[in-house]
Amino acid sequence: MTAPVSYHIGCPVWTCRDWFGSVFDRNVEPNESLREYAKIFNTVEANSVFYALPPSSNLERWMAETGPGFQFCPKFPKAISHERRLVDAKDETNSFLKVLEVLDHGKRLGPSFLQLPPSFNSNSFKVLESYLESLPSNFQYAVEPRHVTWYDKSENEQMLNDLLQRLGMNKVVFDSRPLFASEPADKDEAAAQSRKPQTPVRKSALGQHPFLRLVGKNDPSSNQPWLKEWAPIINKWILDGKRPFIFTHCPNEANAPYLARALHEQLKKLNPLLEPFSNFASDSKKAVEIQKQLDFF
């Protein structure tokens, strides 16, 4: 793959129906999606793990279909975070850790991220502390707090930051500002605005693997102000020797790969040493069309 090696950038999923004929070649079979995705991107949010743990045969296939350097970032299962709420979740956690062990052994494991329920507030700090301290330290983790009490710019926020830094963990930056910057332009954006939280944005990195989830609008041009805002921050992380993980989301995931590439292009203006982004299938089609026009003249 020729995706950038100084940081990791990807999408929440590795397949989308609308990518066939645009991001992927039209002739790619659905069961080849991951292999094609990994030719372009070097990480993915393994969100499916949130709903069900994959069997070992799936994990072996995931690793076989991705190249060296590719990193899966599994989301902690909802049975742990949302159902058990981090309490009495030893069995569920051990099962999840076995998934991480397989991916780690195959050198395909990035930070796993724990998304806390929206109602999980700072009053549950001790529960969170106890759970995070119980996790094995040989894996990388990131925590995504969603309740506003974790962002009070005071005692609660400092407690959480101190805990994560002490344990060598990262805090997920969830930036949905682009999504909410204007009225929804279509039904997908309206649905996304009804579901996605508006978490306060903090741009500092607590650990070696800053973890950013950026939610844009479907129209690529409307996201530019935030890409220009994030590019120097990400570049500084890279120059400081950190290895950021960046994930781009869109209400219609057909647009997520294009948002990722637009962010990389903005970043490359600041850091020309970054490798070029791999072409999408649609780029080749455009090149053919342009050549046909030139041949005509």
Side-chain angles (χ1 to χ4, degrees):
M1 63 177 291
T2 56
V5 295
S6 298
Y7 76 112
H8 291 268
I9 188 166
C11 302
V13 295
W14 61 69
T15 187
C16 170
R17 181 180 58 187
D18 293 328
W19 292 357
F20 296 89
S22 59
V23 179
F24 303 154
D25 188 89
R26 188 177 303 279
N27 297 322
V28 169
E29 296 293 331
N31 61 4
E32 299 173 328
S33 295
L34 178 55
R35 192 183 305 278
E36 294 300 308
Y37 175 93
K39 293 177 181 178
I40 302 170
F41 300 99
N42 58 8
T43 190
V44 68
E45 287 184 15
N47 276 327
S48 61
V49 179
F50 180 72
Y51 301 101
L53 294 180
S56 58
S57 58
N58 283 17
L59 297 175
E60 295 295 337
R61 179 171 54 81
W62 291 1
M63 293 185 290
E65 293 179 358
T66 55
F70 189 92
Q71 305 276 268
F72 292 91
C73 292
K75 187 175 182 179
F76 274 68
K78 66 176 182 178
I80 297 171
S81 57
H82 288 60
E83 295 171 8
R84 295 285 186 177
R85 296 176 70 88
L86 312 186
V87 177
D88 295 330
K90 185 176 180 180
D91 290 344
E92 293 82 355
T93 300
N94 286 339
S95 296
F96 178 60
L97 291 174
K98 289 178 182 177
V99 171
L100 302 190
E101 287 171 0
V102 173
L103 293 174
D104 184 58
H105 182 73
K107 302 187 183 332
R108 296 292 189 276
L109 180 63
S112 305
F113 70 105
L114 172 64
Q115 184 184 88
L116 299 177
S119 61
F120 193 99
N121 62 36
S122 59
N123 290 331
S124 298
F125 174 79
K126 287 295 183 183
V127 172
L128 177 62
E129 180 181 44
S130 176
Y131 183 77
L132 295 182
E133 287 179 340
S134 73
L135 296 175
S137 60
N138 53 314
F139 301 136
Q140 286 287 327
Y141 309 99
V143 177
E144 184 179 310
R146 292 196 158 191
H147 196 275
V148 67
T149 55
W150 297 110
Y151 299 92
D152 63 353
K153 294 185 178 181
S154 187
E155 183 178 352
N156 293 330
E157 187 164 2
Q158 191 59 54
M159 270 196 319
L160 176 59
N161 289 350
D162 289 346
L163 171 65
L164 296 178
Q165 287 184 304
R166 174 167 62 84
L167 297 177
M169 299 182 184
N170 301 276
K171 183 159 67 174
V172 174
V173 180
F174 185 84
D175 188 357
S176 60
R177 292 175 300 161
L179 173 64
F180 289 96
S182 61
E183 292 297 315
D186 54 49
K187 65 178 184 347
D188 290 327
E189 289 186 0
Q193 287 188 359
S194 70
R195 291 194 319 269
K196 302 291 186 183
Q198 298 186 65
T199 307
V201 175
R202 302 289 187 260
K203 299 171 185 174
S204 57
L206 299 181
Q208 283 300 113
H209 299 288
F211 201 109
L212 169 63
R213 305 176 75 211
L214 179 65
V215 186
K217 293 181 78 71
N218 286 325
D219 175 17
S221 62
S222 65
N223 299 311
Q224 281 302 119
W226 289 273
L227 302 187
K228 291 179 179 179
E229 179 182 324
W230 275 110
I233 297 169
I234 297 169
N235 189 48
K236 186 176 187 307
W237 289 340
I238 294 171
L239 296 178
D240 287 344
K242 300 181 186 298
R243 185 65 68 90
F245 282 78
I246 315 296
F247 298 97
T248 55
H249 296 239
C250 287
N252 183 339
E253 293 300 354
N255 302 299
Y258 294 90
L259 180 58
R261 184 166 65 175
L263 176 56
H264 178 71
E265 289 172 349
Q266 192 66 44
L267 185 56
K268 192 167 171 57
K269 293 177 182 178
L270 303 176
N271 192 339
L273 296 178
L274 291 178
E275 295 185 25
F277 219 76
S278 295
N279 287 335
F280 297 161
S282 56
D283 300 324
S284 300
K285 289 191 295 184
K286 288 177 183 176
V288 170
E289 291 170 1
I290 293 171
Q291 188 60 51
K292 285 181 178 178
Q293 293 173 6
L294 293 174
D295 292 343
F296 178 81
F297 289 106

